[in-house]
Amino acid sequence: MSDAKTPDDPLQRERALSRWDNEGGEPVSTLAETLPGVAHIPMPANGPAEIGARKTGLIIVDEVNGFATVGAGYLAPPAPNAQVTRMVDETDRLAKRFTGDRRPILAFLDTHVPGKAEPPYPPHCEAGTGEENLVPELAWLEQDPNTTLVRKDCINGFVGSITADGSNRVVDWTNKNALEELLVVGICTDICVMDFVLTMLSARNHGLMPTLKDILVYDAGCSTYDLPRAAAEKIGLPASAAHPQDVAHYMGLYFMHSRGARLVDQVILSAAR
């Protein structure tokens, strides 16, 4: 007997996964209702993190207009989104404290050559469109001497940090500052943030950053996009491109933790040593 909360018909299941009624535009399911099997996987314990005793750097992933400013592009929220707003607010709060304490910050900015595709996604964050720039709330970082900006042309910021001479800007930044831990925030939790964090964990284990001990991912400082099935199909994408926000955010956090990142639900900042 099938679970009534999980439709057997693929079309109906796809519709439930999108979290939206394609006709009325209203939410139709919660995470527990849509994927009961996933919802029963316990989210790893994520407690507070106190930033103070260790040398800690803040990594901001892709909080640019094309992903986080309403109406700015194909992958930007079409309407105000609580998860995205919370991410930007928390990032701004943390960045101001980090730079005030002279702790290093590195911000990735997704930036693509116009007309050069990044499958499977539609055009986004092309240079010269404004989508590739930090959201207004974080634009001050462009003039902050404590912040290193890295424009990347691919999903994974670690790969995007590789330079023509083979060096890596994020590895060099970590080593130059002798960082013991990184606090990561940004968008999208399950795409750019997750790919970067997983690669950094492997690079740490490989010994590329001798002082780095831990990578922390701040739940409230991350978000992802919500793309209902109808909206995906309207712009010519397959139904499989539907991207339910809550499910994707959850799974991104889960996989990062399963590979060794530490999830935190609160960041307590004390004076730098």
Side-chain angles (χ1 to χ4, degrees):
M1 180 178 295
S2 64
D3 187 332
K5 293 181 179 178
T6 308
D8 291 324
D9 178 76
L11 179 61
Q12 293 300 316
R13 183 175 179 82
E14 187 73 39
R15 184 174 177 177
L17 284 172
S18 75
R19 294 180 60 245
W20 296 92
D21 182 302
N22 291 338
E23 296 176 357
E26 294 298 325
V28 295
S29 62
T30 64
L31 176 60
E33 291 170 341
T34 303
L35 292 176
V38 172
H40 292 159
I41 299 174
M43 178 57 77
N46 55 347
E50 183 171 357
I51 306 299
R54 284 176 152 185
K55 291 185 178 180
T56 306
L58 176 65
I59 299 274
I60 302 170
V61 180
D62 291 344
E63 295 194 31
V64 296
N65 293 315
F67 295 147
T69 295
V70 173
Y74 283 126
L75 298 184
N81 183 285
Q83 189 185 86
V84 174
T85 298
R86 180 185 66 176
M87 171 195 72
V88 173
D89 288 346
E90 285 298 293
T91 299
D92 184 49
R93 178 182 70 86
L94 291 172
K96 286 174 178 173
R97 280 297 309 272
F98 265 72
T99 200
D101 291 341
R102 295 187 177 180
R103 297 182 185 274
I105 301 170
L106 186 144
F108 288 115
L109 292 82
D110 202 56
T111 307
H112 297 277
V113 174
K116 184 179 180 181
E118 186 183 32
Y121 304 103
H124 62 280
C125 300
E126 292 185 337
T129 63
E131 292 184 34
E132 78 280 18
N133 295 327
L134 289 166
V135 296
E137 296 88 343
L138 300 177
W140 62 270
L141 289 169
E142 296 174 2
Q143 306 301 322
D144 178 39
N146 199 59
T147 298
T148 298
L149 301 180
V150 177
R151 292 194 178 274
K152 65 181 184 66
D153 62 355
C154 59
I155 292 170
N156 192 324
F158 187 94
V159 174
S161 293
I162 299 173
T163 65
D165 65 6
S167 62
N168 188 294
R169 293 188 66 187
V170 71
V171 170
D172 292 347
W173 174 82
T174 301
N175 289 335
K176 176 183 177 181
N177 291 289
L179 298 176
E180 298 169 87
E181 65 183 9
L182 300 176
L183 176 63
V184 182
V185 297
I187 191 169
C188 294
T189 316
D190 57 310
I191 305 174
C192 295
V193 174
M194 184 177 75
D195 279 20
F196 170 72
V197 167
L198 297 185
T199 308
M200 282 293 282
L201 288 167
S202 291
R204 176 203 64 183
N205 294 347
H206 191 58
L208 296 184
M209 295 162 285
T211 61
L212 184 61
K213 304 302 180 186
D214 293 302
I215 298 178
L216 285 57
V217 179
Y218 180 33
D219 183 348
C222 294
S223 74
T224 192
Y225 69 96
D226 193 34
L227 182 63
R229 178 182 174 182
E233 293 179 331
K234 187 175 181 180
I235 60 174
L237 298 177
S240 59
H243 189 272
Q245 185 179 53
D246 289 346
V247 175
H249 179 71
Y250 179 100
M251 294 306 295
L253 294 174
Y254 183 85
F255 284 120
M256 285 186 280
H257 184 273
S258 74
R259 294 282 292 277
R262 178 185 167 196
L263 302 186
V264 299
D265 59 8
Q266 183 182 4
V267 179
I268 303 168
L269 294 120
S270 55
R273 69 182 185 183

